[in-house]
Amino acid sequence: MDKSGTREARDILPSGVAPTKSEKGKAGSMTSRESEKPIVARKPGNAGGAKGPTRIRGDAGDRIPGHGTGTRFTTQLASLTLRAKRSKKYWFTSLMHLITEDSLKACFRDLAQDKAPGIDKVTMTEYEANLDENIRHLLARLEARTYRPKPVKRVYIPKPNGKKRPLGIPAVEDKVVQMACKKILEAIFEVDFLDISYGFRPKRGCHDALDDLDRTIMREKVNYVVDLDIEHFFDTVSHHWLLEGLRQRIDDTAFLGLIVRFLDAGAISEGKYQATTEGTPQGSVLSPILANIYLHFILDLWFELRIKKWLNGYARLIRYADDFVVCFEYESEAKGFVNALRKRLSKFGLKIAETKSRLIAFGRQPWGEARRLGKRLETFDFLGFTHYCDRNRAGGFKLGRQTARTRLNRALTGINEWLRWIRNRVRKEQWWPTLVAKLRGLYNYYGVSGNLRSLKNIRERTLWLAYRWINDRSQKRSYNWEQYRRWLKYHPLPEPRICHGYAVTRRMYS
């Protein structure tokens, strides 16, 4: 772990009892046990001479020499980042003035244009038709503090296990304000996040986390893997503890109040209003950065600065949003971590999804022992891939990956449903390029070393599904198989290809 992470934790996780305030303003107390204190609750510069971490109070809008290029909002965001990076104790006291007419317009342009509208049924195109007036009216309400976000539209999408995942779709103007808040929070907290976190961060993605996992298992003394998932994480985030995390860097009450309004906006589900006393709705622009801030304090720092301090063997946590795996050298320490994590999460209203979490023997040494005994090690799923112990061409150990069965079925089901929907709406020549693009997207994500067989399976199944639905447009068959093959000769589907060569990465680090 780097030194900056250590200095950060000294400021965020002090010893002793720290007074705190609940959401309703009632005084409370926090126990002095380190496992129960994710963040400091004491206000910097408090009265009565109470000792606490010294914070540098400052105006976030001050310009920094050498950063005069680009748009004003971009320059101001760069200023936030530089100040946060310069001092782990810098405390931002003025942020709302960064939300201007120009910055809101820039945030609107950064939004995806094809997303579903919120409860007001206003689309991006309709909002853009009178953009200048809409933004001016929105900014006036923000400055007068009369802006109130609309409840999100609650929709449900099916999950592979048969259950449904709730999504919250905000209104367009709420997305604009959330995008502005997201950029400000990202500029401040990105320098504090640890390297073990990969989800929803700039210049980081799923394959960076997979690459880290590859290096860890291949290069380090890993004998056990704990595959963990937090049950209903986005629906059970504590608003109180989330705000305490934000207060470690921010003391602008107007800006924090704006975040609270988004958290308490509620949801409309099947025509009925539902209050939101906890959680951050998935589908919200602001939700990913808030989730990262929350887990940074209650999980990442706790593991790096508390758990690892008591371990004798190697350990590394790799997290992507609320999905994470932890690699250990010793089984006893892995079991101890699981028990400690269960208690840790319960203190903040979270719990482990027991059906999705388990401890397995995994790594070079367990693989060798299993081969001698004629056994096979268990596998685990992470970020859409099933990871297993494999043998390379020289007979040595390597980490194998293939598309997880649930993700493979989901991809093929999606293609099947889309083909059934599109086949009679437009001519085949019009929708075929979209099918090609869908396949290329799957290749770009799942095209990792050793996964070529799964990609070929996806292509073959897609060929068969397309043939089926082309011939199902009417009672008369459009093609026989030979005619279909001639069509494919001039309109081929892309061949599978490997886009991410982790074996090359291993050679680079060897």
Side-chain angles (χ1 to χ4, degrees), residues 247-353:
R247 290 191 184 105
Q248 300 314 299
R249 279 291 201 172
I250 300 172
D251 191 37
D252 186 343
T253 56
F255 184 81
L256 292 176
L258 182 59
I259 302 296
V260 171
R261 293 191 198 111
F262 281 119
L263 295 175
D264 296 339
I268 300 294
S269 178
E270 298 179 351
K272 297 181 180 180
Y273 175 80
Q274 297 177 348
T276 52
T277 57
E278 61 181 7
T280 59
Q282 289 181 271
S284 165
V285 177
L286 198 56
S287 182
I289 182 65
L290 293 180
N292 270 339
I293 293 172
Y294 193 75
L295 289 175
H296 168 73
F297 287 111
I298 73 168
L299 178 61
D300 297 353
L301 287 176
W302 172 72
F303 178 80
E304 291 292 322
L305 305 173
R306 291 291 181 253
I307 294 297
K308 291 180 71 172
K309 183 172 66 174
W310 303 107
L311 301 180
N312 295 318
Y314 177 82
R316 181 167 179 81
L317 182 149
I318 301 171
R319 179 176 67 84
Y320 190 93
D322 62 324
D323 191 11
F324 57 99
V325 295
V326 193
C327 302
F328 286 94
E329 182 177 356
Y330 300 122
E331 182 180 15
S332 59
E333 295 180 346
K335 291 181 178 178
F337 165 75
V338 173
N339 294 331
L341 179 65
R342 202 173 273 117
K343 296 178 182 179
R344 173 73 173 179
L345 294 181
S346 67
K347 298 179 187 300
F348 304 100
L350 302 174
K351 61 179 180 179
I352 296 175

Side-chain angles (χ1 to χ4, degrees), residues 32 134 142 178 225 238 250 333 373 383 415 418 459 505:
S32 60
N134 288 333
L142 284 169
Q178 287 186 23
V225 170
S238 168
I250 300 172
E333 295 180 346
L373 297 174
L383 299 181
I415 290 176
W418 179 80
R459 184 179 185 275
T505 304

Side-chain angles (χ1 to χ4, degrees), residues 102-114:
D102 290 337
S103 65
L104 290 175
K105 288 181 180 178
C107 292
F108 175 83
R109 289 190 291 268
D110 290 340
L111 293 173
Q113 301 295 313
D114 58 347

Side-chain angles (χ1 to χ4, degrees), residues 144-265:
R145 300 192 184 184
T146 58
Y147 166 76
R148 292 294 182 272
K150 299 178 179 64
V152 297
K153 182 172 69 174
R154 182 69 53 81
V155 297
Y156 297 89
I157 60 174
K159 299 172 66 175
N161 58 6
K163 298 181 180 180
K164 293 185 177 181
R165 184 191 306 275
L167 292 181
I169 304 177
V172 172
E173 73 170 9
D174 295 336
K175 292 179 183 178
V176 174
V177 181
Q178 287 186 23
M179 178 63 75
C181 295
K182 169 186 174 293
K183 290 187 175 184
I184 292 173
L185 291 174
E186 203 171 70
I188 294 173
F189 284 95
E190 180 61 27
V191 300
D192 294 338
F193 292 154
L194 304 183
D195 289 338
I196 61 176
S197 169
Y198 290 92
F200 307 109
R201 293 182 59 186
K203 299 180 181 180
R204 285 178 170 235
C206 295
H207 289 284
D208 296 311
L210 293 170
D211 197 15
D212 190 351
L213 181 61
D214 180 89
R215 290 196 305 268
T216 299
I217 293 177
M218 291 297 297
R219 301 282 297 174
E220 305 296 341
K221 296 179 180 179
V222 174
N223 299 319
Y224 296 90
V225 170
V226 180
D227 179 22
L228 294 166
D229 188 60
I230 301 176
E231 184 173 328
H232 304 302
F233 168 73
F234 285 93
D235 299 328
T236 55
V237 169
S238 168
H239 292 178
H240 167 65
W241 287 115
L242 176 58
L243 288 174
E244 288 295 323
L246 294 173
R247 290 191 184 105
Q248 300 314 299
R249 279 291 201 172
I250 300 172
D251 191 37
D252 186 343
T253 56
F255 184 81
L256 292 176
L258 182 59
I259 302 296
V260 171
R261 293 191 198 111
F262 281 119
L263 295 175
D264 296 339

